[in-house]
Amino acid sequence: RDMPSYSCTEGVKCTSGEELGALVHRGVMNETQFWSSTYLRISRYTAGPLFLHPALDQCGPFLKLDTDFFLTRPLQQDPLDDIKREGTRLAYWQLQLQGQRQVGYTQVSLGYLQRRGFRIRNPFFHARGRFLEQAETLGVDLEDEVPEAFDAAMLIYGCAFGGDIKFFREPLYQDFFRYMDLAKGFEQAGWSNQFFLGTAAAAFLEPSQTRRIYLSGRHQESDILIENGSITERLTGSYKRLLR
């Protein structure tokens, strides 16, 4: 469907951040991030319709890597074997508590969970719950001091994730996608498919059904190194005002 560029504050359909003056463009965190209408359509497609493509009819365990994701070390183990052996339904490479492009997402997604009677099964992937836990430990009043934390969303990076394709084809996940899609958050607020993955892990799966993917790799501003049994993780561009 028709989508304006989220990066253009006036809905101008440009293809990069360079054609027009900066006044009509939202801030760009780095040289690779520009949320054009094409980018938003891809985000929407990979949030739901992608999993129903006939080419995936015979697919079970899967690993999705973006074309600009680069392995920086040889694989120490096969992530697909791990996913299959453990019966993993959703596997992640990196997480982030997101404070941008999520306007309205948390409210709509929590509304869905309440309407359907779902609870948070996996608090590790629930942004609001993690913020409240940290705030209580630190003695911080979120409502007064960090109100934006209530709108933050936990995302699973879409550059590298995997799981079982059957989970994303099931009525539960696809019903969630259709409900969320009616809010038109992709075109109006720049929503990302990565928010959908975070909610799915938090509310639709038990902890035993999720796992981390251990890959040494780099994607844009994200870099993870796995060496000698230790993990070194770097992520720039995150929302610094939110609690760590």
Side-chain angles (χ1 to χ4, degrees), residues 35 64 81 102 105 128 142 160 168 182 199-200 206 240:
W35 305 301
K64 174 191 172 294
D81 283 347
Q102 88 299 343
Y105 177 85
R128 182 175 295 186
L142 285 184
F168 295 97
L182 291 175
T199 300
E206 300 293 341
K240 297 181 176 56

Side-chain angles (χ1 to χ4, degrees):
R1 60 177 182 249
D2 185 54
M3 289 191 184
S5 167
Y6 176 69
S7 287
C8 299
T9 57
E10 297 178 1
V12 181
K13 293 184 179 179
C14 51
T15 58
S16 74
E18 300 175 354
E19 300 97 320
L20 301 171
L23 291 180
V24 299
H25 288 285
R26 290 182 169 87
V28 178
M29 290 195 309
N30 56 50
E31 295 178 356
T32 62
Q33 288 193 336
F34 179 78
W35 305 301
S36 66
S37 55
T38 300
Y39 180 93
L40 297 179
R41 281 195 290 269
I42 292 173
S43 289
R44 178 186 176 274
Y45 181 71
T46 53
L50 167 67
F51 302 109
L52 299 179
H53 195 285
L56 301 178
D57 285 351
Q58 304 303 316
C59 182
F62 75 94
L63 178 64
K64 174 191 172 294
L65 299 177
D66 281 5
T67 55
D68 57 347
F69 180 94
F70 301 95
L71 294 174
T72 55
R73 293 287 191 282
L75 292 178
Q76 298 181 9
Q77 57 198 57
D78 187 337
L80 286 175
D81 283 347
D82 294 338
I83 290 171
K84 184 175 182 179
R85 182 181 65 256
E86 297 185 12
T88 301
R89 310 219 72 192
L90 179 54
Y92 68 94
W93 179 67
Q94 191 173 52
L95 305 176
Q96 183 183 356
L97 290 171
Q98 182 81 349
Q100 62 170 349
R101 292 176 52 222
Q102 88 299 343
V103 174
Y105 177 85
T106 298
Q107 180 179 359
V108 178
S109 61
L110 289 178
Y112 174 85
L113 299 181
Q114 292 170 359
R115 285 171 179 263
R116 300 296 194 270
F118 287 106
R119 60 178 177 83
I120 298 299
R121 301 182 186 181
N122 203 340
F124 179 72
F125 295 97
H126 183 49
R128 182 175 295 186
R130 293 186 66 179
F131 277 131
L132 289 172
E133 181 180 349
Q134 292 181 46
E136 183 177 352
T137 301
L138 298 172
V140 175
D141 187 330
L142 285 184
E143 187 171 355
D144 292 336
E145 299 183 42
V146 198
E148 58 267 42
F150 287 100
D151 290 325
M154 173 69 78
L155 62 80
I156 290 176
Y157 260 41
C159 62
F161 76 96
D164 185 349
I165 201 71
K166 297 181 180 64
F167 166 67
F168 295 97
R169 288 183 154 212
E170 290 173 354
L172 171 56
Y173 182 85
Q174 288 296 321
D175 180 65
F176 170 64
F177 169 77
R178 287 190 294 269
Y179 178 93
M180 298 297 294
D181 195 34
L182 291 175
K184 297 188 175 181
F186 291 100
E187 53 264 58
Q188 294 178 4
W191 286 358
S192 168
N193 62 303
Q194 302 173 125
F195 302 145
F196 288 67
L197 299 176
T199 300
F204 304 152
L205 298 173
E206 300 293 341
S208 61
Q209 296 175 301
T210 62
R211 63 162 288 137
R212 186 166 193 172
I213 300 171
Y214 293 99
L215 297 176
S216 291
R218 184 179 70 254
H219 179 258
Q220 297 179 10
E221 302 302 312
S222 301
D223 195 344
I224 292 179
L225 174 64
I226 301 173
E227 197 170 39
N228 299 323
S230 64
I231 301 175
T232 303
E233 187 169 355
R234 182 178 67 87
L235 173 63
T236 61
S238 57
Y239 197 3
K240 297 181 176 56
R241 290 190 63 197
L242 297 184
L243 294 174
R244 295 290 183 181

